[in-house]
Amino acid sequence: QVQLVQSGAEVKKPGSSVKVSCKASGGTFSSYGFSWVRQAPGQGLEWMGGIIPIFGTANYAQKFEGRVTITADESSSTAYMELSSLRSEDTAVYYCAGTRDWFDPWGQGTLVTVSS
Amino acid sequence: QSVLTQPPSVSGAPGQRVTISCTGSSFNIGAGYDVHWYQQLPGTAPKVLIYGNSNRPSGVPDRFSGSKSGTSASLAITGLQAEDEADYFCQSYDSSLSGWVFGGGTKLTVL
């Protein structure tokens, strides 16, 4: 069973970018799809986009198109999510998750705080 | 405003049965896309509870069950226990958005 471990919490200024990593272990990285889902404080879950490493192409939620970039490095079994032009509304916990038609497993989450 | 609609909260006494609804449209649930359910305990990542409308991953008690009909789906929890107190989310695919969508979440309180 794949386990996903994410990078640590980040504090960013408005207008800057953040890059969060998600390292997979215990399974075949390339055979999985990986998505990024975020959760603002006290709010619900929001799918941002995903990638299947073996194909290399990412697809993104319309809301984040142009502002998010999802990549994967097969050599290190790591997926990445970079979000640019950060604003205060981007303050949230960002999760990576293995993706079939459902999301499983999930990483532990990375808190990104956007504050001046 | 979430694409899938859930009640904000439900409650029940220990041992009782509760259901959580998830209402979509002809672009998602009504189009035949599967519905999946997640449980999120306070301060933790979500965990899949039901996948493919009605399938339970190994380790999930059979007190949890899922169903789907038309443009809606439901999660039923029988024999409520204190440890079931959590947030529950439904999820499906939406063809108009070309992506996965979630319900707004339902907070279950065990009285």
Side-chain angles (χ1 to χ4, degrees), chain A residues 24 28-35 50-58 70-75 77-80 99:
Chain A
T28 306
F29 181 75
S30 297
S31 66
Y32 269 78
F34 293 93
S35 285
I51 189 169
I52 301 176
I54 197 170
F55 296 132
T57 346
I70 294 173
T71 56
D73 178 2
E74 290 188 67
S75 66
S77 299
T78 303
Y80 300 91
T99 306

Side-chain angles (χ1 to χ4, degrees), chain A residues 35 37 39 43-47 50 59-62 95 99-104 106-109, chain B residues 33-34 36 38 40 44-48 51-52 89 91 93 96-104:
Chain A
S35 285
V37 177
Q39 186 172 36
Q43 302 300 308
L45 302 171
E46 186 172 33
W47 178 75
N59 63 317
Y60 304 111
Q62 293 172 10
Y95 294 101
T99 306
R100 284 166 265 199
D101 189 40
W102 62 94
F103 302 110
D104 179 62
W106 294 66
Q108 83 277 19
Chain B
Y33 294 108
D34 286 343
H36 319 289
Y38 302 86
Q40 185 176 33
T44 69
K47 178 189 89 166
V48 64
Y51 66 93
F89 296 90
Q91 174 247 317
Y93 183 84
S96 68
L97 297 173
S98 299
W100 285 286
V101 292
F102 288 92

Side-chain angles (χ1 to χ4, degrees), chain A residues 57-102:
Chain A
T57 346
N59 63 317
Y60 304 111
Q62 293 172 10
K63 174 178 177 176
F64 298 100
E65 194 85 53
R67 210 161 65 92
V68 67
T69 304
I70 294 173
T71 56
D73 178 2
E74 290 188 67
S75 66
S76 62
S77 299
T78 303
Y80 300 91
M81 184 282 300
E82 183 169 23
L83 186 62
S84 62
S85 302
L86 290 170
R87 36 216 189 222
S88 58
E89 311 90 86
D90 294 317
T91 294
V93 175
Y94 290 76
Y95 294 101
C96 66
T99 306
R100 284 166 265 199
D101 189 40
W102 62 94

Side-chain angles (χ1 to χ4, degrees), chain B residues 8-89:
Chain B
S9 63
V10 297
S11 62
Q16 285 190 332
R17 178 181 186 269
V18 297
T19 61
I20 298 172
S21 61
C22 175
T23 303
S25 71
S26 58
F27 294 110
N28 39 69
I29 300 174
Y33 294 108
D34 286 343
V35 178
H36 319 289
W37 291 91
Y38 302 86
Q39 179 191 60
Q40 185 176 33
L41 298 169
T44 69
K47 178 189 89 166
V48 64
L49 203 58
I50 298 287
Y51 66 93
N53 304 316
S54 58
N55 301 292
R56 275 177 288 106
S58 60
V60 172
D62 60 7
R63 302 186 295 104
F64 295 90
S65 63
S67 64
K68 173 189 155 183
S69 178
T71 57
S72 295
S74 288
L75 173 71
I77 310 171
T78 59
L80 263 184
Q81 299 180 3
E83 68 215 45
D84 298 333
E85 195 160 280
D87 292 323
Y88 293 83
F89 296 90

